[in-house]
Amino acid sequence: MDEEETKMVYRERYLSKIRPHIGKPYIKMLTGVRRGGKSTILKMIADEISEKDKNANIVFVDFELYSNASIAYADKLYDHISNSVKKNAKNVLMIDEIQEVEGWEKVIASFNNEAVFDIYITGSNSKLFSSEFSTYISGRYVSFNIQTLSFTECVDFRKVAGGDTSEDEIFNSMQRMGGFPVVWISGHSESDSYSLIRDIYASIVLRDIVQKHGLSNDAALKRMILFLCDNIAKPTSLNNIYNGLVETYGRFRREAVYKFCEYLEEAFIFHRVEEERLKGKKILSPKYKFYLSDIGIKNALLGYRNDDIADHLENIVYLEMKSKGYDITIGNINGKEVDFVCKKDNLRVYIQVAYRLSSEKTIEREFGNLKMIQDGYPKYVVTTDPDWISGNIDGIKYMHVKEFLKLDL
């Protein structure tokens, strides 16, 4: 048992969403970046099931463990699970990192059809919801996307791990080291934390991209990752990325840019956020932005730079809204940008992110763009400016980022 497991901190943000589905006759799927906390959440669910039913038979298969390599084949996995069924007991099947098993879709579909198990699976690939999987399951699943730690979760983890618990210090550490749980539960120094993050990053690139897609040379991929890290939160297009790579590194294949973008999104290293027209002429050449699944990756690879704080802030706000279940786009209103248009059910939230609000021009831009939206949904300007802690201008709320990240939206 590793250090993360011995100091588990309950991540109620996700557990509260999963609980209503416990015991229901469909598949519960947890997806997200490796080492983002999926395995631990799965163990927490197992604990809750066991507490309610002491006789529950929980079959837990972790494909991160080499000891399970021999059953990482569809037929062997099916036999292993079948032999684990107990009569007259609640049978629960939990499989961690299921994408390691070729042909897993048929196995899970079969057990779901047999209705023997309450099924939970995790995966570190966004294309677990492939057309092949959908063919076998026919919509009989519910999915939960797990992010690395949010600000309030970092506060909870710091209380368990020990150390400075001031919110200013915790936020500063978060925008430097990101939110991988192992970083926060271990209490390591910043340099040791960056070393851990580089190890996580290297594992993701090797296992989920290089090996999965059979890349013979990963040098170009790594150059592209560094380029995207250096340009997070900046409006771009695939053509702009290609031109930037050529300018920075010289020769680069255009088709590689398209493939690598797809691979990086599949592995949850980056999130691509598309542009949405809110008002005005139709967008003929829409832009989008890339955000990291964890800002610690950028700082571990490129080193922390004070000049990048504005981009870090935007990335953190994006992940916060993503973890709260919002679908997110970039707003375009008559050519003016709204950083985030967040949608969930019948709710919309509009957000502008500004590192500082120190000039009239900046204030006019951040508030003015939101004023053009007249639909009555909540609008926020989020900042780290100490002179703009909390208030309201013409119905638009402004708020310090630490307070915004604590809101129950």
Side-chain angles (χ1 to χ4, degrees), residues 161 272 309 364:
R272 189 193 318 195
I309 293 177
E364 174 56 33

Side-chain angles (χ1 to χ4, degrees), residues 63 71-75 77 95 97-105 107:
F63 282 108
I71 60 171
Y73 306 91
D75 55 346
L77 178 60
I95 304 181
E97 299 297 358
I98 198 167
Q99 76 278 348
E100 302 295 336
V101 182
E102 186 174 352
W104 66 267
E105 299 93 341
V107 176

Side-chain angles (χ1 to χ4, degrees), residues 4 52 339 355 359:
E4 278 184 86
K52 291 185 177 180
D339 288 329
Y355 172 48
S359 70

Side-chain angles (χ1 to χ4, degrees), residues 4 39 54 90 99 150 155-156 171 286 376 395:
E4 278 184 86
S39 305
K54 302 298 182 183
K90 176 183 176 64
Q99 76 278 348
S150 66
V155 172
D156 292 338
F171 181 78

